[in-house]
């Protein structure tokens, strides 16, 4: 059965499902995902994505049917760069009256306490039915999924519009950690370097994974058969705690080290991180160049066309002069907003022990030279004793209303880091 037909069958089965058939997996600032636990075979391997009532994360918009723009945005702006292989299709399904109210009651006790400040949006009229990227169908042994929140994979070292010198040599995530720690939002600084993860150098990629394991925060999660088992509810973890979790998964790996070695090998053989970084670098004027363009647009009383409705944006040579015409200013802002999605997305790698016949130590095929337009949908590959699949998630467009916040936050992060650095007080 084709994926489009299976999605249609799943959507019909969803209409017969109950809120009690869906179990909590995880959530972010705006969206929450649930795993199907009912008995309908048509829904096996699907998740449900719903919205939370969080006006700030939604850019001040309340929308009972918020998915249409996100779906168009993914098809028009994300897939041409990242490839359909890594962007799972989603199917919009209507919600029966009262479904969200009952669902909120069913899952409330499963949600982390700090997340409960924003309840589910009970006015929601539709949800998204999607492939469950935390599990693989068939075979023996557990499905083990790693969710990595990637962060910025570059520094604007040569951008002529950057006035904060520190931004040209220190990664944004590293700087932001210092500010969050000073604000009391973190009790431990992350050791993670996004630049290592995006380097495609095996030793550096492995070092990045080790750092994520040691200080996971919300940037590294491990799921076993769709249930999060690492880190704890406070985002705390350690190498020892991770090794203990891995040891409780029979037939998965000989050790935590060998599992991380396999994960690193998969990441360096796939083009996904390269492609995500390409989207991130659509921010070729930095917020210091994009925000004045945004202000000029606002001052003229113009509206920026939603990313989902404009022409597909493609890589370009970085400009050396500030955007001055209305056309240049609109394109600069649109490129910056597209980059914000790529800077905040995650990747999910799900592994399952391969059948004995193919569970040799074969290396992962090198997909890095395969053009995005030649790829099909979700691919399951055998390598390093595993079947695996990899996908990018959290690819919604960011609200344009956040531009002033982005500008202020950027300056605050850079100035705080520079001040600590000059005083020799970096943590």
């Amino acid at each position: 059965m084709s994926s489009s037909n299976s999605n249609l069958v799943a959507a019909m089965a969803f209409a017969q499902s109950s809120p009690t058939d869906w179990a909590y997996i995880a959530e972010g600032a705006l969206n929450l995902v649930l795993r199907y636990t009912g008995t309908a075979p048509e829904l096996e391997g699907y998740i449900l994505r719903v919205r939370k009532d969080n006006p700030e994360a939604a850019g001040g918009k309340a929308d009972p049917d918020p998915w249409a723009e996100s779906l168009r945005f993914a098809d028009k702006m994300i897939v041409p760069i990242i490839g359909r292989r890594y962007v799972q299709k989603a199917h919009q399904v209507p919600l029966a009256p009262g479904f969200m109210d009952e669902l909120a009651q069913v899952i409330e006790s499963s949600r982390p306490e700090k997340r409960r400040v924003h309840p589910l949006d009970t006015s929601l009229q539709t949800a998204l039915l999607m492939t469950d990227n935390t599990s693989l169908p068939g075979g023996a042994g557990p499905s083990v999924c790693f969710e990595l929140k990637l962060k910025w994979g570059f520094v604007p070292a040569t951008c002529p519009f950057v006035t904060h010198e520190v931004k040209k040599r220190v990664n944004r995530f590293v700087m932001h950690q210092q500010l969050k720690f000073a604000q009391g939002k973190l009790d431990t600084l992350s050791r993670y370097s996004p630049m290592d993860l995006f380097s495609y150098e095996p030793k550096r990629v492995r070092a990045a994974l080790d750092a994520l394991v040691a200080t996971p925060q919300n940037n590294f999660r491990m799921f076993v058969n769709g249930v999060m088992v690492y880190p704890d509810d406070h985002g705390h973890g350690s190498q020892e705690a991770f090794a203990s979790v891995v040891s409780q998964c029979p037939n998965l790996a000989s050790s935590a080290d060998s599992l991380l070695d396999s994960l690193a090998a998969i990441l360096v053989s796939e083009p996904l991180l390269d492609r995500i970084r390409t989207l991130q670098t659509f921010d070729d004027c930095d917020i210091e160049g994009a925000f004045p363009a945004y202000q000029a647009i606002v001052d003229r009383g113009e509206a920026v066309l939603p990313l989902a409705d404009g022409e597909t944006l493609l890589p370009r040579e970085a400009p050396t002069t500030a955007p001055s015409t209305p056309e240049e200013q609109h394109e600069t802002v649109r490129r910056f907003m597209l980059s914000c999605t790529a800077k905040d997305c995650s990747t999910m790698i799900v592994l399952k022990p391969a059948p004995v016949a193919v569970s040799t130590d074969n290396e992962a095929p090198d997909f890095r030279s395969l053009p995005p337009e030649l790829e099909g949908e979700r691919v399951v590959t055998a390598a390093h004793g595993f079947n695996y699949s990899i996908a990018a998630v959290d690819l919604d467009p960011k609200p344009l209303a956040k531009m002033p916040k982005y500008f202020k936050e950027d300056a605050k992060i850079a100035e705080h880091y520079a001040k600590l650095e000059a005083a020799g007080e970096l943590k």
Side-chain angles (χ1 to χ4, degrees):
M1 184 183 297
S2 70
S3 61
S4 58
N5 286 339
S6 60
N7 282 339
L8 181 59
V9 170
M12 294 172 64
F14 172 77
Q16 305 302 316
S17 73
S18 162
T20 57
D21 293 330
W22 298 92
Y24 177 89
I25 297 180
E27 64 188 283
L30 186 58
N31 298 302
L32 184 148
V33 291
L34 307 116
R35 172 173 51 93
Y36 183 69
T37 60
T39 58
E42 299 89 348
L43 290 172
E44 184 179 349
Y46 280 89
I47 61 169
L48 190 69
R49 191 181 194 206
V50 296
R51 278 282 168 102
K52 295 160 57 175
D53 186 4
N54 186 350
E56 181 181 359
K61 293 192 300 182
D63 187 352
D65 186 15
W67 310 113
E69 182 180 353
S70 291
L71 295 176
R72 294 199 314 275
F73 172 74
D75 286 341
K76 181 172 285 189
M77 296 296 176
I78 302 296
V79 170
I81 303 297
I82 291 183
R84 176 54 71 189
R85 166 180 165 87
Y86 303 105
V87 182
Q88 307 302 329
K89 285 190 174 181
H91 194 84
Q92 201 167 353
V93 290
L95 297 172
F99 185 96
M100 289 297 293
D101 294 283
E102 185 177 350
L103 182 64
Q105 296 177 15
V106 168
I107 68 169
E108 186 68 7
S109 62
S110 300
R111 300 178 65 197
E113 189 171 346
K114 67 178 183 179
R115 293 289 194 181
R116 297 180 195 174
V117 64
H118 296 296
L120 293 190
D121 182 355
T122 55
S123 70
L124 200 65
Q125 296 175 2
T126 61
L128 289 184
L129 202 58
M130 309 172 70
T131 300
D132 183 359
N133 288 308
T134 67
S135 66
L136 285 177
S143 288
V144 178
C145 175
F146 296 97
E147 179 183 2
L148 281 60
K149 204 165 183 62
L150 305 172
K151 303 301 183 179
W152 294 31
F154 75 103
V155 293
T158 60
C159 180
F161 312 112
V162 171
T163 61
H164 299 282
E165 181 272 338
V166 67
K167 288 167 53 177
K168 294 188 174 185
R169 54 183 175 81
V170 182
N171 179 262
R172 164 63 174 258
F173 175 77
V174 174
M175 291 193 290
H176 203 179
Q177 285 282 302
Q178 294 286 335
L179 178 61
K180 286 183 175 180
F181 187 80
Q183 293 172 330
K185 295 179 179 179
L186 299 174
D187 54 17
T188 305
L189 288 173
S190 175
R191 303 177 194 172
Y192 168 55
S193 166
M195 302 292 283
D196 283 344
L197 189 72
F198 280 90
S199 70
Y200 278 89
E201 297 175 21
K203 288 185 178 179
R204 291 180 66 188
V205 172
R206 176 57 200 271
L209 294 176
D210 285 337
L212 285 167
V213 165
T215 52
Q217 298 179 355
N218 69 335
N219 304 312
F220 181 87
R221 293 170 175 165
M222 176 180 176
F223 301 84
V224 176
N225 293 331
V227 178
M228 193 178 84
V229 296
Y230 187 86
D232 65 20
D233 287 344
H234 302 287
H236 296 156
S238 67
Q239 300 283 0
E240 295 75 18
F242 180 72
S244 176
V245 169
V246 173
S247 70
Q248 296 171 39
C249 299
N251 305 320
L252 177 63
S254 59
S255 68
D257 278 342
S258 67
L259 182 59
L260 291 176
D261 284 342
S262 295
L263 186 59
I266 289 169
L267 287 170
V268 300
S269 69
E270 294 278 353
L272 180 58
L273 297 185
D274 262 341
R275 295 176 186 180
I276 289 174
R277 181 169 51 192
T278 294
L279 278 177
Q280 292 182 354
T281 56
F282 277 34
D283 173 16
D284 51 16
C285 292
D286 192 74
I287 185 63
E288 295 188 58
F291 186 71
Y294 167 79
Q295 279 296 120
I297 293 169
V298 171
D299 289 345
R300 292 195 299 267
E302 298 170 2
V304 176
L305 189 67
L307 286 173
D309 298 333
E311 293 183 1
T312 298
L313 296 174
L314 298 172
R316 69 174 183 181
E317 187 173 340
T320 57
T321 58
S324 56
T325 68
E327 292 78 11
E328 291 173 344
Q329 291 166 348
H330 276 270
E331 181 174 1
T332 295
V333 171
R334 286 164 54 76
R335 286 181 172 272
F336 176 82
M337 294 306 301
L338 176 55
S339 80
C340 289
T341 293
K343 293 169 189 170
D344 199 38
C345 74
S346 298
T347 185
M348 301 187 81
I349 306 100
V350 58
L351 312 167
K352 198 167 194 176
V356 175
V358 294
S359 63
T360 60
D361 290 331
N362 56 309
E363 295 183 358
D366 189 349
F367 292 108
R368 293 184 66 187
S369 61
L370 185 64
E373 63 270 15
L374 296 183
E375 298 171 346
E377 296 184 25
R378 189 188 201 192
V379 174
V380 177
T381 303
H384 301 284
F386 296 101
N387 289 332
Y388 78 86
S389 180
I390 181 170
V393 297
D394 300 330
L395 296 169
D396 298 308
K398 299 297 183 182
L400 185 65
K402 285 191 170 185
M403 280 290 287
K405 177 185 176 182
Y406 289 149
F407 182 69
K408 293 175 183 177
E409 185 178 64
D410 179 79
K412 184 183 292 186
I413 290 169
E415 289 166 3
H416 179 78
Y417 189 93
K419 180 180 177 181
L420 290 180
E421 185 180 56
E425 296 177 354
L426 291 172
K427 306 299 181 186

